[in-house]
Amino acid sequence: MDEVIKLAGIEYQATSDRRVKTSAPPRAMSPKLGSSRINLGKFFDLSPDLLGVIGSDSHFKHLSPAWESVLGHSSQEMKSRPWLDWIHRDDLQKTLSHIHNLVIVGQDKVNFKNRLRCRNGNYRWLSWQANYDPHNHLIYTQASDLGERPGCSISPNLSGQKFNSPEEHFRLLVDGVKDHAIYMLDRHGRVISWNAGAERINGWQADEIIGQFSDIFFTVDSRQQGIPESVLRVAATSGRVEFENWRMRKDGSCFWANVTLSALQDEQGQLLGYATITRDVTDRKQEEEALQQAYDNLEKRVEERTAELQAANSRLREEVQIRSQTEEALRQSQQRLTQQASQLETTLRELRNTQAQLIHTEKMSGLGQLVAGVAHEINNPVGFIHGNLEHASHYVQDLLRLIDCYQEHYPNPSPQIQAELEDIDLDFIVTDMPKLLASMHQGTRRIQTIVESLCHFSGLNEAQYKPVDLHQALNSTLRVLQHRLQGHGQERAIELIRDYDQSLTKVYCFPGQVNQAFANVITNAIDALRDRENARSEEEYIPTLTVQTQHLGDRVRIIFEDNGLGMDESVRSRIFDPFFTTKPVGRGTGLGLSTTYQIIVEKHRGRLSCTSQCQQGTSIALELPLDANG
């Protein structure tokens, strides 16, 4: 509930739970201290601090001895006048604001600073702490001396001014407030008091407005809506109401006001009237309206811009859709072109492979026919010579036995025969003739073996898919290439290492094609070995070719490993491509390993792999299935 406390000569309105009420309007009030008696003398006498108690009549009720030592006034002098008389006039409004917060707002404690007049006319700064006792209407204070400020004496008129009563003090104080309209209403809502701030803000003089109903301050629309009566009812019911609305001045102009209306009740709870504090906050209202207008304008511009952006976004979506359709059409067209290009590339590759295969097949066919013809032509006379050598050997043996018999029965030949024997060196002929015949026999046999290897390598009578002894096939191929494995001039002989798995059985394949694949791989290995030998003069370098077979269950692996130049990844990844070669013109066509890939992988459903490092050599592995089903 509301309460009115006469303190420091001002009627304050509080809206707290403290149940202290007044019995009459401000001008009819008399100062009261309350029913409690103060008995703090001993405590105050012992304290070195500036302790004080202020009553509801604005006078000090008790002061500690420190006040006299700091200000120079006796305790009776300070108690004889309202305590606000001792405060510098420039600090008065600030001090009253703190007392308002303490008594009206209900703060537990306030802290503030101000200047009090000393006996010598100067002022001293004090730092205050104050608490309020609502039951006894007392303010308890403790002040600290901050020092004297010389040359700030109070004006003679103010120092000599005296007030006849606290009511007169209150009236002067309220009249001095210029920026707030402070006035009282009776319980019917009629104006009964009017300060200078109300006169400045509302425009009416006191004698013009006192007795008028408060609805005169409201606009016509507010009066038609019954707002003046509604505000009084709410304040009477709740004790206090604060609101903002448009208020009317005497000249008819309006201003935006912040109004605090508090109900005044006596101790029995009867409504006595209302205390009103009004502030002109038109500037703030205009600023808010300007801000709102700016916000509305901004919102409007945002909406307009949003509409523009939405329209632009719609057009952009249409463009994006059209572009997406175009891109999709282009993508499909590109996909078709890509497929066509891929098909053409595949067709071209197949044509090139077919062409290469045809060329190589034709080449190998011609080579096979040539080898077959040469082998046949060589084989006939060599067979004739080889067959007659055996008869010649028997004939020579017979003749040698006859000569031996003649020497035994005719130990003394005629001089002519003796001279002929010495001339032909019969003993040497007898010793060397068997050796000569054996050497001739061995030579013809070797020619026959080479002819057999040529026939085997050329694929004569080997066009069928049948089981083949791979070791025999490898040996035949190596014999055909024996002339390249041997050293000539500055070239060293290539060391050949055969590492055959003896558990290996026959393998189903096309013998002529497999021999061709072996020859292609071995030829490339020999070229790599010779290239390294010619590229560097390495005293300790021994060109080496290793041929290894491995039985892998249902498959067989043939590994050709050399210690030649090797190759990097860019070359290794393309060695099986048709017509790809790193050899100079005249030394290679790029068809050898490509044909090998077709023979092993495509024709025999096998595998072909290559590993290599520069200057470390190359290893090529061929894998073939053992049985006819792959």
Side-chain angles (χ1 to χ4, degrees):
M1 295 297 292
D2 297 341
E3 63 178 281
V4 176
I5 302 170
K6 283 181 57 181
L7 184 63
I10 305 176
E11 282 190 346
Y12 286 93
Q13 177 185 8
T15 56
S16 66
D17 293 333
R18 297 188 289 268
R19 313 294 294 180
V20 181
K21 306 176 181 62
T22 60
S23 59
R27 294 187 184 276
M29 291 183 62
S30 60
K32 291 177 63 179
L33 177 59
S35 59
S36 301
R37 295 184 60 85
I38 301 172
N39 189 15
L40 301 174
K42 291 183 179 180
F43 174 75
F44 275 63
D45 291 342
L46 292 174
S47 176
D49 296 327
L50 299 172
L51 303 179
V53 179
I54 302 173
S56 59
D57 60 353
S58 185
H59 285 258
F60 284 114
K61 298 303 178 181
H62 206 89
L63 293 170
S64 64
W67 287 90
E68 183 173 353
S69 61
V70 172
L71 299 180
H73 303 292
S74 66
S75 177
Q76 292 302 323
E77 286 183 283
M78 298 195 67
K79 292 179 182 179
S80 65
R81 301 176 60 178
W83 75 288
L84 294 176
D85 286 355
W86 305 104
I87 299 174
H88 194 288
R89 64 173 178 269
D90 293 340
D91 301 336
L92 187 59
Q93 185 63 38
K94 180 175 66 175
T95 302
L96 290 174
S97 176
H98 287 292
I99 297 301
H100 175 273
N101 292 336
L102 179 67
V103 178
I104 304 303
V105 177
Q107 289 186 4
D108 293 335
K109 180 177 68 174
V110 295
N111 298 278
F112 57 91
K113 297 177 182 180
N114 58 18
R115 290 165 288 183
L116 266 67
R117 188 176 75 252
C118 301
R119 190 174 185 84
N120 60 7
N122 290 333
Y123 282 83
R124 298 187 72 89
W125 279 98
L126 300 184
S127 175
W128 295 76
Q129 293 186 28
N131 292 88
Y132 177 60
D133 179 3
H135 299 289
N136 296 314
H137 315 302
L138 299 176
I139 297 176
Y140 292 90
T141 66
Q142 184 269 328
S144 299
D145 180 22
L146 299 180
E148 185 178 279
R149 299 296 186 271
C152 188
S153 59
I154 193 168
S155 63
N157 293 336
L158 184 59
S159 62
Q161 183 179 4
K162 294 186 179 297
F163 302 103
N164 295 327
S165 67
E167 288 80 0
E168 180 67 15
H169 186 188
F170 165 76
R171 184 184 64 79
L172 293 175
L173 185 58
V174 171
D175 287 343
V177 178
K178 303 296 184 182
D179 55 350
H180 288 67
I182 303 175
Y183 53 92
M184 304 293 294
L185 306 176
D186 63 13
R187 58 191 182 89
H188 301 293
R190 288 188 293 264
V191 179
I192 60 175
S193 70
W194 194 253
N195 78 329
E199 181 179 319
R200 183 185 66 82
I201 293 173
N202 292 276
W204 283 282
Q205 299 293 326
D207 56 354
E208 296 176 322
I209 198 64
I210 293 203
Q212 299 287 338
F213 283 96
S214 62
D215 60 358
I216 196 173
F217 305 126
F218 289 83
T219 62
V220 176
D221 291 341
S222 297
R223 290 198 294 269
Q224 290 176 352
Q225 297 174 16
I227 293 178
E229 295 81 4
S230 176
V231 170
L232 292 176
R233 285 196 304 271
V234 173
T237 303
S238 61
R240 181 177 182 272
V241 63
E242 182 175 355
F243 61 94
E244 292 186 357
N245 67 349
W246 288 106
R247 309 287 274 184
M248 294 285 293
R249 293 191 180 94
K250 178 183 177 180
D251 59 6
S253 62
C254 295
F255 67 96
W256 188 258
N258 176 274
V259 183
T260 301
L261 185 66
S262 300
L264 306 178
Q265 298 174 341
D266 60 15
E267 295 180 355
Q268 286 73 37
Q270 297 298 319
L271 180 64
L272 300 176
Y274 304 91
T276 304
I277 301 177
T278 303
R279 289 189 301 123
D280 183 357
V281 292
T282 305
D283 292 342
R284 191 198 71 190
K285 178 66 173 178
Q286 292 175 347
E287 291 174 356
E288 291 177 352
E289 291 178 348
L291 182 61
Q292 183 63 37
Q293 183 64 37
Y295 176 78
D296 293 340
N297 293 338
L298 178 60
E299 190 174 30
K300 182 178 179 181
R301 289 197 296 271
V302 169
E303 291 176 356
E304 294 174 352
R305 184 58 177 166
T306 301
E308 295 175 358
L309 290 175
Q310 288 175 347
N313 192 25
S314 178
R315 293 193 299 271
L316 182 60
R317 282 197 297 269
E318 294 177 359
E319 294 177 1
V320 169
Q321 185 176 5
I322 295 173
R323 181 172 296 181
S324 298
Q325 294 174 353
T326 305
E327 290 178 352
E328 178 63 20
L330 289 174
R331 187 186 65 79
Q332 293 177 358
S333 177
Q334 184 178 8
Q335 185 176 5
R336 289 193 298 271
L337 291 175
T338 302
Q339 292 176 353
Q340 294 175 359
S342 178
Q343 293 174 357
L344 290 174
E345 184 178 356
T346 302
T347 303
L348 178 61
R349 184 169 59 253
E350 291 176 353
L351 288 174
R352 293 179 66 184
N353 292 340
T354 303
Q355 181 184 16
Q357 189 171 6
L358 289 174
I359 294 173
H360 200 71
T361 301
E362 185 66 22
K363 175 182 176 181
M364 294 306 296
S365 176
L367 180 61
Q369 294 177 2
L370 177 63
V371 170
V374 172
H376 179 72
E377 292 299 328
I378 294 175
N379 193 45
N380 287 335
V382 169
F384 176 75
I385 295 172
H386 184 73
N388 289 328
L389 278 175
E390 186 173 356
H391 296 293
S393 178
H394 292 307
Y395 296 157
V396 169
Q397 293 294 332
D398 292 341
L399 290 174
L400 291 177
R401 284 197 304 273
L402 177 60
I403 293 173
D404 186 54
C405 183
Y406 266 99
Q407 288 178 342
E408 181 179 354
H409 293 283
Y410 298 98
N412 299 311
S414 64
Q416 185 179 357
I417 294 175
Q418 183 68 34
E420 190 66 26
L421 289 175
E422 292 177 357
D423 185 47
I424 64 174
D425 195 0
L426 180 63
D427 293 337
F428 175 77
I429 292 175
V430 171
T431 303
D432 190 57
M433 182 60 74
K435 296 180 181 179
L436 178 63
L437 292 173
S439 176
M440 294 173 65
H441 186 274
Q442 183 179 1
T444 56
R445 183 59 190 157
R446 179 170 178 80
I447 293 173
Q448 287 180 332
T449 302
I450 293 173
V451 170
E452 289 177 0
S453 297
L454 287 173
C455 293
H456 189 273
F457 174 75
S458 63
L460 295 177
N461 301 324
E462 299 290 343
Q464 296 180 353
Y465 190 74
K466 65 179 184 179
V468 174
D469 185 349
L470 284 184
H471 293 164
Q472 181 181 357
L474 287 169
N475 291 333
S476 297
T477 305
L478 290 170
R479 277 196 295 269
V480 172
L481 298 174
Q482 182 66 35
H483 68 288
R484 295 206 59 193
L485 297 173
Q486 296 174 351
H488 299 284
Q490 299 296 326
E491 294 179 347
R492 297 182 178 91
I494 297 175
E495 181 178 350
L496 178 63
I497 300 175
R498 293 181 177 89
D499 184 8
Y500 295 160
D501 187 346
Q502 299 303 324
S503 65
L504 181 63
T505 59
K506 292 186 177 182
V507 179
Y508 276 87
C509 64
F510 293 98
Q513 295 181 7
V514 171
N515 288 340
Q516 179 183 346
F518 292 163
N520 291 337
V521 175
I522 295 172
T523 299
N524 278 314
I526 293 173
D527 289 340
L529 292 169
R530 294 306 183 194
D531 288 342
R532 179 174 178 179
E533 186 178 19
N534 296 330
R536 295 185 179 183
S537 178
E538 301 181 40
E539 295 293 338
E540 299 179 358
Y541 175 66
I542 300 177
T544 304
L545 173 62
T546 301
V547 181
Q548 182 182 16
T549 59
Q550 296 176 351
H551 190 185
L552 305 176
D554 61 342
R555 304 178 74 84
V556 58
R557 178 182 294 160
I558 306 99
I559 302 173
F560 300 90
E561 185 174 358
D562 64 74
N563 62 345
L565 284 175
M567 65 191 85
D568 58 23
E569 181 60 24
S570 62
V571 175
R572 188 206 65 79
S573 62
R574 298 185 59 192
I575 60 173
F576 300 122
D577 294 345
F579 303 105
F580 175 78
T581 181
T582 58
K583 299 176 183 178
V585 177
R587 283 190 56 190
T589 61
L591 295 174
L593 292 180
S594 174
T595 304
T596 302
Y597 183 86
Q598 292 177 353
I599 293 172
I600 300 300
V601 178
E602 298 178 4
K603 191 73 174 179
H604 290 81
R605 300 185 300 280
R607 300 173 185 171
L608 184 61
S609 62
C610 173
T611 58
S612 181
Q613 291 184 359
C614 291
Q615 304 301 323
Q616 298 296 323
T618 301
S619 175
I620 295 181
L622 291 72
E623 291 188 14
L624 295 170
L626 286 176
D627 55 29
N629 297 323

